Amino acid sequence: MPAPSLSPTVRTFTGGAASRAPIGIFDSGLGGLSVLRAVRAQLPDEAILYVADSLYAPYGERDDDFIADRTLAIGEWLVERGAKALVVACNTATAQSIALVREKLPIPLIGVEPGIKPAALQSKSRVAGVLATQATLRSARFQGLLERYAADCRFLCQPGHGLVQAVERCDVGSAELRALLRGYLEPMLDAGADTLVLGCTHYPFLDAAIRDIVGDRLMLIDTSVAIARQLERVLGQHGVRAATSVADTPLPLFYSTDDGIHQQQLAATLLHIDAAVEQVLIPSRRTATPDSRAA
Ligand code: DGL
C-alpha cells in the first residue's frame, strides 16, 4: 500500500489515519537497520519507511553542517511521505543535528545516543570503552553525556574509523575488519575495561566479530531496544499507535540514495527481511554541488 503523500505543512494526524501512518527511520546508511530490527520486534503492527543515505555515508567524517543538511532534507522527505514520527537511527546525525531538525519538522523525533548512562551503571571495573564515529565523539552532546553520567567511570573513547564503511559493504567478518577491530579493542582490554558502548548503529552488526576478539570480557551496550521502547512511549503520548492486528508484521518500505544492493543483502542475511529497495534522490543544499559525494 503506498504511503499517503502529505505536505510538510500538515502538522497533525487525526483518528485512524494517524495510527495507520508509517514511522520514518533514517540513518546515514545501513546501521539504522539494527534499530529497525528492534522497532519491528517491539511494535510489530507499525508500518515503517526506512531511508539509508548510503550515497553520502559515512557521516562520521563529514562536517557538522553537512550532517544537519542531510538529516533535515531526509526528515522533510519522510514527512512528505506521511511519516507520523521520525527515528533518527544514527548517533552521528542525532549528535550534530537533532535539536535543529526537531525545531523544523512537524512530527515527533526520537534520536539515538551512545549508552554512556547504562555503561556507567553496569561497569564493575569502572573502565568502559566507547566505539563511535569521530563526529559523535567530538560533539557537545556526547561531551554532555560524559559530564552527566560518567561519574567515577573512566571512558576510553575510540573513533571506529573504517567500521561504517565495512558494514556498508556488508563486511561483518573479514580478516581486515577483524584486524581493525582488534586494534581498537585490545587497548581497551589492556586498560581494564569490562564494558563496551556500541556508539554507532552500524556496530551491532559487528557483534559476532567483536565477541570473537573479546569473548565475555566486555559487556556490549547497544541501545536499540531502549530506542524502540522510547518510540512506543512517544507514539502512545501522541495517540498514534497502530491498531493491533492479527496480520503478519508489515514489510518495511526500503529506500536508499545509492543503488540499495547492499541494503537488500544486509536486510536479507541479518534481518531475514526480503524486500526490494527503491533508489531515491533526496536533494539538499549541500549536495547540490558536483563534488558532494567526496567525504
Ligand atoms: N550509523 C551511524 C551512527 O550511528 C553511522 C554514522 C556514519 O555514517 O559515520 O553514527
Side-chain angles (χ1 to χ4, degrees):
M1 181 192 69
S5 182
L6 294 182
S7 124
T9 52
V10 176
R11 297 187 74 87
T12 52
F13 296 91
T14 51
S19 47
R20 284 193 301 276
I23 293 160
I25 302 182
F26 136 74
D27 180 39
S28 62
L30 310 186
L33 294 173
S34 65
V35 176
L36 176 141
R37 175 170 59 187
V39 168
R40 275 168 56 88
Q42 185 75 21
L43 298 163
D45 300 312
E46 297 290 347
I48 295 173
L49 309 178
Y50 181 90
V51 177
D53 199 16
S54 293
L55 188 62
Y56 299 107
Y59 280 6
E61 286 148 40
R62 301 277 187 180
D63 66 72
D64 301 355
D65 177 70
F66 187 95
I67 298 166
D69 177 56
R70 292 303 297 160
T71 306
L72 181 60
I74 293 167
E76 286 171 340
W77 190 90
L78 282 163
V79 169
E80 283 169 23
R81 273 145 195 85
K84 63 185 172 187
L86 173 64
V87 181
V88 180
C90 177
N91 290 266
T92 310
T94 301
Q96 297 299 349
S97 62
I98 199 155
L100 177 135
V101 176
R102 189 167 266 141
E103 268 175 28
K104 302 211 169 174
L105 293 187
I107 56 174
L109 260 66
I110 293 90
V112 302
E113 58 190 20
I116 298 300
K117 185 178 176 186
L121 286 171
Q122 291 173 49
S123 170
K124 294 202 169 35
S125 69
R126 310 313 289 150
V127 182
V130 185
L131 263 183
T133 68
Q134 182 99 300
T136 296
L137 295 176
R138 73 161 179 260
S139 69
R141 203 177 159 96
F142 178 74
Q143 294 306 320
L145 277 179
L146 287 180
E147 276 159 33
R148 225 169 321 138
Y149 300 118
D152 64 334
C153 194
R154 186 156 67 96
F155 281 89
L156 310 170
C157 299
Q158 170 64 54
H161 296 301
L163 299 180
V164 167
Q165 290 92 327
V167 175
E168 289 293 306
R169 296 190 297 270
C170 289
D171 173 4
V172 293
S174 70
E176 295 76 15
L177 170 71
R178 284 165 194 271
L180 203 57
L181 280 170
R182 210 169 292 117
Y184 298 152
L185 299 173
E186 280 173 353
M188 294 179 185
L189 292 170
D190 293 345
D194 66 350
T195 303
L196 174 66
V197 176
L198 301 177
C200 168
T201 54
H202 282 70
Y203 301 167
F205 292 126
L206 304 177
D207 58 350
I210 293 173
R211 277 274 164 247
D212 284 348
I213 296 165
V214 306
D216 57 7
R217 286 176 290 169
L218 294 180
M219 179 171 41
L220 305 188
I221 307 277
D222 163 19
T223 54
S224 55
V225 172
I227 295 154
R229 291 203 187 116
Q230 171 66 3
L231 172 63
E232 182 176 27
R233 274 191 293 276
V234 169
L235 295 179
Q237 282 159 6
H238 287 77
V240 292
R241 282 281 307 273
T244 307
S245 154
V246 288
D248 289 343
T249 300
L251 275 184
L253 296 183
F254 284 142
Y255 303 95
S256 176
T257 53
D258 78 1
D259 61 22
I261 290 170
H262 286 152
Q263 185 175 338
Q264 191 162 2
Q265 192 181 330
L266 196 85
T269 54
L270 298 183
L271 272 61
H272 310 294
I273 298 174
D274 275 308
V277 179
E278 185 182 334
Q279 183 166 10
V280 288
L281 186 68
I282 304 182
S284 69
R285 175 177 50 82
R286 288 288 300 275
T287 57
T289 53
D291 63 345
S292 56
R293 275 198 69 171

